[in-house]
């Protein structure tokens, strides 16, 4: 099963590029850019990765991002992630970035986008990995700051397919960003939002109704509202679930208690993703393995996560058809 999972074609739809910053690269960039960080070794950095909830993680995550200064840094970060995608047979990835985490400390929006984009383009030609880029607004900041980010994104419209919403969910209701999302939709961006990760099922309703999202990031607390689960099934609204993240941030006590397999078997369009793999101890294959270790899935069920992700992705119909054929062929060959 391990080999089946390792080589299974995968699609990633929930990945924060800043969350792929491995301790090695963090130290290298801190030195290269003369940025002071409160760590002297890889062991010290890893020791600090002891999270008890989302906020305790976010504090470390934003601190880590401080070492990213130049376009080359954003390129190196993204390229390292794409090489990991290749190892895990991730064929398509939809990458989040948090521009406000950088512009708030004086880094130019264009530097961030151009560095990430250059690596994504290179991966298309050199690794055969396709991608989309999604700009997330930080929900702990105000509406005005989000509007500024949206304005900066305008000249990069060709590089950014959608806007999203991340950071501290509790205490920052979706409604705070209704007007920003409305403007983004008018400008032609698709929309997604983190909801129902730490916050209640009600936040998922709000994201669907107020932000017109195409999919929900996390959304695991949907199980608290049976009518919502039914709606997700009948309207085939995707959830981009991040199993290892949910365990590390105590959304579920352990993987055996995670609801992703129950949701899959009920017909919800759930997908497996890595969220912030450098911080949560695993990329795509690790997440699939962790779910399978705890729940014993069939090969057909494991492949269903990929079929769901293809449906939920922002690629064209013909690209979806091609990826589905390839995945079906893999499944048929290994049954
Ligand atoms: N930013 C990076 N990872 C996140 C997560 N899991 N939830 C909310 N915001 C995030
Ligand atoms: Zn996330």
């Amino acid at each position: 099963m391990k080999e089946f999972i390792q080589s299974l074609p995968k699609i990633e739809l929930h990945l924060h590029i800043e969350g792929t910053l491995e301790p090695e690269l963090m130290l290298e960039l801190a030195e290269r850019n003369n940025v002071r960080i409160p760590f002297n070794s890889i062991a010290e950095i890893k020791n600090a990765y002891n999270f008890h909830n989302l906020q305790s993680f976010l504090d470390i995550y934003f601190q880590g991002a401080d070492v990213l200064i130049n376009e080359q840094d954003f390129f190196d970060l993204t390229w390292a992630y794409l090489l990991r995608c290749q190892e895990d047979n991730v064929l398509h990835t939809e990458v989040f970035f948090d521009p406000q985490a950088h512009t708030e400390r004086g880094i130019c929006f264009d530097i961030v986008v151009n560095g990430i984009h250059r690596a994504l383009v290179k991966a298309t030609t050199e690794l055969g990995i396709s991608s989309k880029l999604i700009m997330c607004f930080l929900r702990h900041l105000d509406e005005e700051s989000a509007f500024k980010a949206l304005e900066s994104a305008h000249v990069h419209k060709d590089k950014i397919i959608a806007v999203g919403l991340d950071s501290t969910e509790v205490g920052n209701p979706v409604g705070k960003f209704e007007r920003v999302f409305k403007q983004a939709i008018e400008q032609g961006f698709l929309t997604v939002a983190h909801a129902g990760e730490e916050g209640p099922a009600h936040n998922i309703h709000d994201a669907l109704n107020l932000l017109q999202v195409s999919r929900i990031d996390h959304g695991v607390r949907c199980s608290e509202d049976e009518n919502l689960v039914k709606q997700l099934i009948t309207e085939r609204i995707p959830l981009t679930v991040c199993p290892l993240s949910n365990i590390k941030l105590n959304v579920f006590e352990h993987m055996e208690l995670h609801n992703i397999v129950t949701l899959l078997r009920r017909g919800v369009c759930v997908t497996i993703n890595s969220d912030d793999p450098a911080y949560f101890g695993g990329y795509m294959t690790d997440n699939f393995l962790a779910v399978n270790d705890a729940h014993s899935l069939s090969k057909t069920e494991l492949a269903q996560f990929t079929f769901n992700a293809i449906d939920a992705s922002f690629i064209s119909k013909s690209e979806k058809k091609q990826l589905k054929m390839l995945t079906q062929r893999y499944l048929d060959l290994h049954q």
Side-chain angles (χ1 to χ4, degrees):
M1 212 48 137
K2 194 161 186 273
E3 287 90 68
F4 176 82
I5 288 174
Q6 177 74 53
S7 304
L8 175 71
K10 301 176 192 72
I11 312 297
E12 175 137 77
L13 302 178
H14 184 153
L15 179 281
H16 302 264
I17 199 63
E18 293 88 350
T20 69
L21 180 61
E22 290 288 347
E24 291 80 358
L25 186 58
M26 193 190 293
L27 285 179
E28 190 185 318
L29 293 179
E31 198 175 308
R32 185 156 104 189
N33 294 327
N34 254 318
V35 175
R36 286 171 66 93
I37 52 170
F39 311 113
N40 290 310
S41 68
I42 289 164
E44 272 184 36
I45 297 175
K46 286 189 175 161
N47 255 338
Y49 293 178
N50 227 330
F51 315 118
H52 50 276
N53 60 14
L54 176 58
Q55 193 58 53
S56 63
F57 155 69
L58 288 170
D59 294 342
I60 295 273
Y61 165 88
F62 289 123
Q63 185 183 70
D66 285 352
V67 302
L68 299 160
I69 306 284
N70 301 305
E71 187 185 310
Q72 189 62 37
D73 306 337
F74 289 94
F75 173 88
D76 291 346
L77 174 75
T78 309
W79 186 248
Y81 161 65
L82 291 161
L83 290 176
R84 278 302 278 108
C85 283
Q86 190 182 35
E87 271 180 55
D88 286 3
N89 203 23
V90 174
L91 303 178
H92 174 75
T93 177
E94 303 196 349
V95 173
F96 295 137
F97 73 114
D98 286 336
Q100 292 154 293
H102 313 299
T103 54
E104 288 274 314
R105 51 187 183 86
I107 310 296
C108 176
F109 187 100
D110 303 354
I111 284 181
V112 180
V113 179
N114 291 338
I116 298 169
H117 183 253
R118 185 153 58 86
L120 296 179
V121 170
K122 182 172 154 123
T124 316
T125 52
E126 293 189 15
L127 306 178
I129 297 171
S130 61
S131 58
K132 302 284 183 197
L133 189 54
I134 301 171
M135 172 176 86
C136 284
F137 301 116
L138 296 178
R139 66 206 301 162
H140 67 272
L141 299 181
D142 59 19
E143 186 196 41
E144 190 190 340
S145 175
F147 267 121
K148 269 193 201 147
L150 183 60
E151 198 182 314
S152 302
H154 198 67
V155 291
H156 297 285
K157 183 74 192 54
D158 57 326
K159 308 184 191 84
I160 301 169
I161 188 132
V163 298
L165 191 61
D166 65 1
S167 187
T168 318
E169 183 181 4
V170 175
N172 294 294
V174 157
K176 193 172 151 186
F177 299 95
E178 192 177 352
R179 297 195 312 168
V180 185
F181 270 64
K182 190 165 180 282
Q183 189 163 315
I185 291 165
E186 280 165 13
Q187 291 177 5
F189 290 102
L190 296 170
T191 59
V192 298
H194 284 53
E197 178 187 15
E198 271 194 347
H202 183 71
N203 289 0
I204 300 172
H205 275 293
D206 286 351
L208 291 169
N209 298 331
L210 304 179
L211 308 183
Q212 309 291 312
V213 296
S214 305
R215 55 191 191 223
I216 296 285
D217 297 315
H218 292 293
V220 289
R221 286 190 60 184
C222 67
S223 297
E224 294 164 15
D225 180 341
E226 178 53 23
N227 284 334
L228 175 60
V229 175
K230 285 186 181 141
Q231 184 191 352
L232 297 177
I233 296 167
T234 52
E235 295 179 21
R236 203 156 168 72
I237 298 161
L239 305 183
T240 65
V241 179
C242 306
L244 284 174
S245 162
N246 291 155
I247 304 308
K248 285 282 174 353
L249 302 186
N250 278 324
V251 173
F252 296 94
E253 212 177 309
H254 48 82
M255 200 60 88
E256 284 76 8
L257 290 179
H258 202 294
N259 61 356
I260 187 168
V261 176
T262 305
L263 292 172
L264 178 83
R265 290 177 179 157
R266 286 197 61 187
V268 179
C269 184
V270 282
T271 65
I272 291 183
N273 307 273
S274 70
D275 207 6
D276 303 283
Y279 293 90
F280 300 146
Y283 287 78
M284 283 293 273
T285 295
D286 306 306
N287 272 276
F288 271 82
L289 287 172
V291 171
N292 187 56
D293 281 351
H295 295 273
S296 290
L297 292 146
S298 69
K299 288 178 177 172
T300 304
E301 286 175 323
L302 287 163
Q304 188 60 44
F305 286 118
T306 294
F307 287 122
N308 287 351
I310 295 169
D311 277 340
S313 72
F314 292 148
I315 56 179
S316 68
K317 269 193 183 153
S318 66
E319 287 167 312
K320 285 186 182 185
K321 195 172 160 201
Q322 205 176 352
L323 281 176
K324 279 189 184 174
M325 271 169 45
L326 193 146
T327 306
Q328 189 61 51
R329 207 176 316 134
Y330 181 83
L331 183 58
D332 293 344
L333 249 152
H334 294 87
Q335 276 293 10

